[in-house]
């Protein structure tokens, strides 16, 4: 059975995103070593942009890298390259084998002097089919875009898995993308009504605190 329709996806260019879009790096850390290099599931690192339009939240696959030859060090370097290129200072890795990778990622960010915020996903223990079906519902509603400039291999693998679900041998790219619906990610999309939406979220200046008087608590 085919669960997804290619016609549900929408396409745009990166320069069509608004300045107020929030960027997040999603990671499926299936890193490779000497024994499994070039085999099995691929590691997938994807940059997603989230843009609020009224009551809707639109999701854009901006860029990424997907490979079954990517080591953890390769992945670390790619994450920080994307963080620098897109100003994406929030990263949400899928948890595999405890908290070791997230701990190393936080340590690496500290050593590089990068204020990277590592998000703890809330649906890591949810079954993959459930996560992916939730994501496909967003696609069906017309709220998911793929940018033309996205890495060609990442886009190819993502579209193949999108079209073939649920008959998949490997689901790394589509599963990584499904985390755009994770509650821990979605809660970052809300923008305060008094925020300076003319600037990206990472460049906004918080309002100055108001002076306290004896008439307020």
């Amino acid at each position: 059975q085919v669960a997804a329709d290619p016609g549900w996806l929408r396409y745009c260019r990166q320069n069509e995103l608004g300045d107020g879009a929030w960027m997040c790096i999603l990671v499926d850390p299936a890193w490779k070593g000497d024994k499994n290099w070039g085999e099995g599931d691929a590691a997938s690192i994807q940059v997603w942009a989230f843009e609020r339009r009224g009551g809707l939240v639109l999701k854009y696959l901006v860029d990424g890298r997907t490979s079954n030859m990517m080591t953890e060090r390769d992945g670390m370097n790619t994450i920080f390259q994307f963080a620098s290129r897109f100003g994406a200072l929030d990263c949400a890795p899928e948890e595999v084998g405890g908290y070791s990778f997230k701990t190393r990622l936080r340590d690496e960010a500290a050593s590089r002097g990068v204020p990277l915020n590592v998000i703890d996903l809330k649906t890591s223990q949810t079954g993959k089919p459930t996560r992916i079906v939730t994501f496909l519902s967003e696609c069906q509603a017309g709220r998911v875009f793929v940018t033309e400039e996205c890495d060609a291999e990442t886009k190819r693998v993502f579209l193949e898995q999108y079209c073939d679900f649920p008959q998949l041998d490997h689901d790394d790219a589509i599963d990584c993308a499904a985390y755009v619906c994770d509650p821990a990610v979605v809660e970052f999309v809300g923008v305060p009504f008094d925020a300076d939406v003319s600037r990206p979220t990472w460049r906004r200046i918080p309002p100055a605190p108001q002076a306290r008087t004896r008439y307020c608590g």
Side-chain angles (χ1 to χ4, degrees):
Q1 296 180 355
V2 177
D5 184 340
W8 293 347
L9 292 172
R10 304 168 72 179
Y11 294 85
C12 69
R13 301 192 66 82
Q14 289 180 2
N15 61 10
E16 295 178 42
L17 275 68
D19 286 340
W22 171 65
M23 299 278 189
C24 184
I25 303 171
L26 303 180
V27 185
D28 183 345
W31 313 123
K32 300 303 173 183
D34 294 335
K35 295 183 179 180
N36 62 347
W37 192 81
E39 300 177 354
D41 286 342
S44 187
I45 302 173
Q46 301 173 10
V47 182
W48 283 83
F50 299 78
E51 192 170 27
R52 184 173 291 279
R53 299 284 183 87
L56 302 178
V57 175
L58 306 183
K59 305 167 180 66
Y60 303 80
L61 177 56
V62 177
D63 207 346
R65 182 183 175 194
T66 299
S67 172
N68 64 356
M69 296 181 286
M70 195 179 346
T71 66
E72 182 176 296
R73 175 49 53 185
D74 294 334
M76 288 276 194
N77 290 334
T78 300
I79 288 170
F80 288 102
Q81 287 169 6
F82 285 149
S84 176
R85 185 185 310 168
F86 298 105
L89 296 179
D90 294 286
C91 181
E94 182 182 45
E95 196 51 66
V96 178
Y99 293 91
S100 57
F101 174 67
K102 289 197 294 187
T103 299
R104 288 193 292 273
L105 183 60
R106 290 186 174 103
D107 291 344
E108 183 73 14
S111 68
R112 294 181 182 227
V114 178
L116 188 72
N117 174 48
V118 180
I119 298 173
D120 294 320
L121 294 167
K122 296 182 178 180
T123 56
S124 294
Q125 303 305 316
T126 303
K128 286 185 180 182
T130 301
R131 289 200 303 267
I132 295 172
V133 167
T134 300
F135 171 70
L136 295 181
S137 298
E138 288 292 292
C139 298
Q140 185 176 16
R143 294 193 285 265
V144 176
F145 294 73
V146 178
T147 62
E148 300 292 345
E149 297 89 344
C150 180
D151 172 72
E153 178 64 11
T154 294
K155 185 158 51 174
R156 180 190 68 80
V157 175
F158 167 77
L159 292 175
E160 284 183 357
Q161 295 180 5
Y162 170 88
C163 292
D164 292 344
F165 179 81
Q167 291 86 20
L168 296 175
D169 293 326
H170 303 289
D171 55 11
D172 31 71
I174 191 71
D175 185 41
C176 183
Y179 281 110
V180 299
C181 301
D182 188 281
V185 173
V186 173
E187 68 185 15
F188 276 83
V189 184
V191 178
F193 289 108
D194 59 349
D196 179 6
V197 295
S198 64
R199 301 185 181 187
T201 53
W202 61 91
R203 293 178 184 168
R204 291 181 193 150
I205 301 174
Q210 296 182 349
R212 297 172 64 88
T213 72
R214 65 190 181 93
Y215 297 106
C216 61

